[in-house]
């Protein structure tokens, strides 16, 4: 089953798509409904995103003002990838493609039974402060300042982060979950402090302590089996590509923060 996550940059509205089709426009029937001053150039049903063999395809639906991808007007179909910015009209709303996955939805992962010995996962975490990308695999992935952690935050100069602060483990249903390991300052997921293990999804923000490092789940899959859709070392991550694309569209102003 497909999965797609979109964020409207001006309003921070989020749409998670778990079907083969998503529509963008002003009509209440659309998957992502656009409103406000900039939506004046948006048609009722402006564009659609359809999942196919090649992945997620963006299609303009004969809109009056056109559909754009990273500042270029779309002609025909356009294959989307994480980090792309969709524009509805030349001056209309901008929508960031935050996460894409072709193999499965998060719910499908949660419902799977755990095989004997547990299901190993592969995950890619992007540190928003440093831009560093952490990749780890296993049925237990620890986050913290300690060198024994699978994701060691050695650059953390403060004491907000505990030696072993949080960990990612395989839950009873086979899903990857994050839990706090009795840290001094708590663990937050999407700005909410967690008190029990909760499932992890693409695009989630894990914060180690209030005001501490924020790690974005940029890639997630089973290991072996599902390929982790992460950029190779040295290449730009999803959020960096979004910022670059928005900067090109709005050269006179700073790009919006897409991490909230």
């Amino acid at each position: 089953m497909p999965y797609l996550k979109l964020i409207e940059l001006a309003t921070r509205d989020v749409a998670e798509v778990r079907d083969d089709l998503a529509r963008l426009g002003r009509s209440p029937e659309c998957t992502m409904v656009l409103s406000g001053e900039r939506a004046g150039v948006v048609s009722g049903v402006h564009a659609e995103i359809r999942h196919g063999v090649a992945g997620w395809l963006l299609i303009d639906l004969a809109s009056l003002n056109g559909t754009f991808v990273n500042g270029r007007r779309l002609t025909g179909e356009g294959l989307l990838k994480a980090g792309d910015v969709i524009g509805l009209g030349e001056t209309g709303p901008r929508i960031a493609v935050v996460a894409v996955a072709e193999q499965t939805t998060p719910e499908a992962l949660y419902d799977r039974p755990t095989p004997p010995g547990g299901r190993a996962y592969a995950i890619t975490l992007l540190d928003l402060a440093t831009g560093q990308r952490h990749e780890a695999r296993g049925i237990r992935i620890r986050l913290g300042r300690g060198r024994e952690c699978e994701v060691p935050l050695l650059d953390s100069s403060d004491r907000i982060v505990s030696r072993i602060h949080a960990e990612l483990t395989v839950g009873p249903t086979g899903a990857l979950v994050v839990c706090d390991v009795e840290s001094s300052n708590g663990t937050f997921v999407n700005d909410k402090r967690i008190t029990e293990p909760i499932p992890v999804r693409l695009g989630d923000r894990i914060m180690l302590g209030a005001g501490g490092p924020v790690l974005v789940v940029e890639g997630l899959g089973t290991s072996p089996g599902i390929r982790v859709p992460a950029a190779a070392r040295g290449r730009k991550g999803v959020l960096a590509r979004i910022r670059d694309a928005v900067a090109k569209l709005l050269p006179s102003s700073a790009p919006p923060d897409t991490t909230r």
Side-chain angles (χ1 to χ4, degrees), residues 39-126:
V41 299
V42 179
S43 299
V45 183
H46 193 107
E48 71 178 22
I49 307 173
R50 185 180 296 274
H51 187 264
V53 176
W56 287 98
L57 298 174
L58 176 65
I59 305 164
D60 182 77
L61 298 179
S63 66
L64 181 62
N65 295 297
T67 300
F68 297 75
V69 179
N70 301 328
R72 296 183 179 180
R73 186 159 187 160
L74 182 68
T75 57
E77 299 177 344
L79 182 65
L80 292 176
K81 63 182 182 300
D84 284 344
V85 175
I86 301 168
L88 302 185
E90 190 171 4
T91 61
R94 294 300 184 256
I95 301 165
V97 180
V98 176
V100 295
E102 286 83 30
Q103 289 89 351
T104 185
T105 62
E107 283 72 15
L109 290 176
Y110 305 159
D111 294 338
R112 292 177 179 174
T114 304
R119 179 187 298 276
Y121 275 82
I123 192 167
T124 300
L125 300 171
L126 176 67

Side-chain angles (χ1 to χ4, degrees), residues 192-242:
K192 294 182 179 179
R193 187 164 185 164
I194 62 173
T195 57
E196 59 184 15
I198 67 169
V200 173
R201 303 184 181 193
L202 284 169
D204 279 351
R205 304 184 307 278
I206 302 172
M207 182 167 63
L208 304 184
V214 177
L215 305 173
V216 175
V217 180
E218 194 181 44
L220 177 64
T222 54
S223 171
I226 297 179
R227 178 180 61 83
V228 178
R233 186 177 299 276
R235 293 174 59 187
K236 293 182 178 179
V238 172
L239 296 172
R241 294 198 299 272
I242 291 173

Side-chain angles (χ1 to χ4, degrees), residues 1 15 19 21 59 62 102 105 113 140 147-148 158 166 169 186 192 194 199-200 213 240 246 253 258:
M1 294 291 292
D19 297 318
L21 180 67
I59 305 164
E102 286 83 30
T105 62
R140 182 190 182 203
R147 293 184 179 275
E148 66 269 38
D158 53 47
T169 60
K192 294 182 179 179
I194 62 173
V200 173
V246 174
S253 62
T258 63

Side-chain angles (χ1 to χ4, degrees), residues 3-4 16 28 45 56 81 91-92 132 139-140 188 203 215 250:
Y3 176 71
L4 177 70
E16 291 186 290
V45 183
W56 287 98
K81 63 182 182 300
T91 61
Q132 183 177 1
I139 59 175
R140 182 190 182 203
F188 300 74
L215 305 173
L250 304 171

